[in-house]
Amino acid sequence: MGGDRPDDWTVSRRFRGFMPVVVDVETGGLNPQTDALLELAAVLLDVDAQGKIVQVDRIQLHVAPFEGANLDPVSMKINGIDIDHPFRNALSEAEALQQFFQPIRQRLKLNGARRAILVGHNAAFDLAVINAAVARCGNKRNPFHPFSTFDTVTLSALAVGETVLAKALEAIGLEWDSAQAHSALYDAEQTAELFCRIMNAFSKPNGRAPLRAPPVKKSPD
């Protein structure tokens, strides 16, 4: 957890009942329906005692291409993934989704949140990839909102006038390691740092904006 804090202040309350989860995927192309899902990574977030959004846990999984999946040579050159590497330990798409969703669902329950909201850099693509994999596998436990996202492209355009992830990170004083780029976990961690810094910078004092009062309970007649 993010340190001692008031019991009534959780990351889900900060986001009106939803819980942001930073996600990055690596794929064998740009078509979620036909191209292989190869890596899944997520960074789970919470709030600390001062109400600041912080990183608390990480998930990383390697995924075996589904039967008939396309592997575009251009995309594979960019991501540098060797699907036949003996130490890759890739899971089937169905097993990977199960292991990916389980800790997210556990934290949803812990925070009393309704749904997870995917945070990503060009988040619509990451969500489309996950939704396509869910449909292929018939998974009924997808914790993510089916269409809503928080996109750090838009947030960084607002905050620092940059839309490229590497340039946005540099604009807030962080280094970008191009050698680690296109690893799903590295990209997710960097995106999480960008998201946390922007959200915390734009929050009101104590990082609790907007702090919504709990609903007033009506007394029985």
Side-chain angles (χ1 to χ4, degrees):
M1 298 297 290
D4 295 334
R5 67 187 186 198
D7 290 339
D8 66 345
W9 180 245
T10 65
V11 70
S12 64
R13 186 174 176 194
R14 172 66 176 81
F15 293 98
R16 300 180 59 214
F18 295 96
M19 185 183 77
V21 178
V22 184
V23 172
D24 189 76
V25 302
E26 294 298 327
T27 65
L30 299 178
N31 187 329
Q33 305 299 325
T34 61
D35 299 336
L37 169 60
L38 300 174
E39 286 187 12
L40 278 168
V43 177
L44 303 181
L45 306 175
D46 211 325
V47 290
D48 65 13
Q50 288 71 47
K52 299 294 185 181
I53 304 167
V54 295
Q55 302 181 38
V56 292
D57 206 356
R58 288 148 182 78
I59 307 166
Q60 181 182 29
L61 295 166
H62 299 281
V63 188
F66 63 90
E67 186 176 354
N70 181 56
L71 296 170
D72 180 73
V74 174
S75 295
M76 297 305 293
K77 184 176 181 180
I78 291 172
N79 63 43
I81 295 172
D82 178 2
I83 62 170
D84 297 317
H85 195 286
F87 300 123
R88 189 164 179 260
N89 298 321
L91 303 171
S92 70
E93 202 170 62
E95 180 63 22
L97 287 177
Q98 181 179 347
Q99 291 194 24
F100 188 65
F101 290 159
Q102 183 177 13
I104 297 172
R105 294 185 65 85
Q106 289 175 342
R107 189 158 284 274
L108 280 173
K109 184 177 181 180
L110 179 67
N111 283 302
R114 290 179 286 170
R115 298 294 291 269
I117 295 286
L118 188 146
V119 180
H121 207 74
N122 294 308
F125 176 74
D126 299 276
L127 183 60
V129 170
I130 289 175
N131 285 341
V134 165
R136 282 192 294 270
C137 298
N139 188 294
K140 304 297 185 183
R141 305 287 286 171
N142 183 0
F144 288 100
H145 193 285
F147 54 83
S148 291
T149 62
F150 292 148
D151 196 335
T152 51
V153 171
T154 303
L155 292 174
S156 57
L158 167 68
V160 297
E162 298 287 356
T163 57
V164 176
L165 181 57
K167 291 184 178 296
L169 289 163
E170 290 171 359
I172 63 172
L174 295 176
E175 294 184 359
W176 173 258
D177 186 350
S178 58
Q180 295 190 66
H182 299 294
S183 156
L185 182 59
Y186 179 76
D187 288 1
E189 289 175 332
Q190 297 300 91
T191 302
E193 184 63 25
L194 180 64
F195 178 76
C196 290
R197 291 205 182 191
I198 292 174
M199 296 303 295
N200 290 334
F202 276 77
S203 292
K204 290 180 180 177
N206 297 323
R208 299 189 176 192
L211 179 55
R212 293 173 176 263
V216 177
K217 293 182 180 180
K218 294 182 179 180
S219 59
D221 295 336

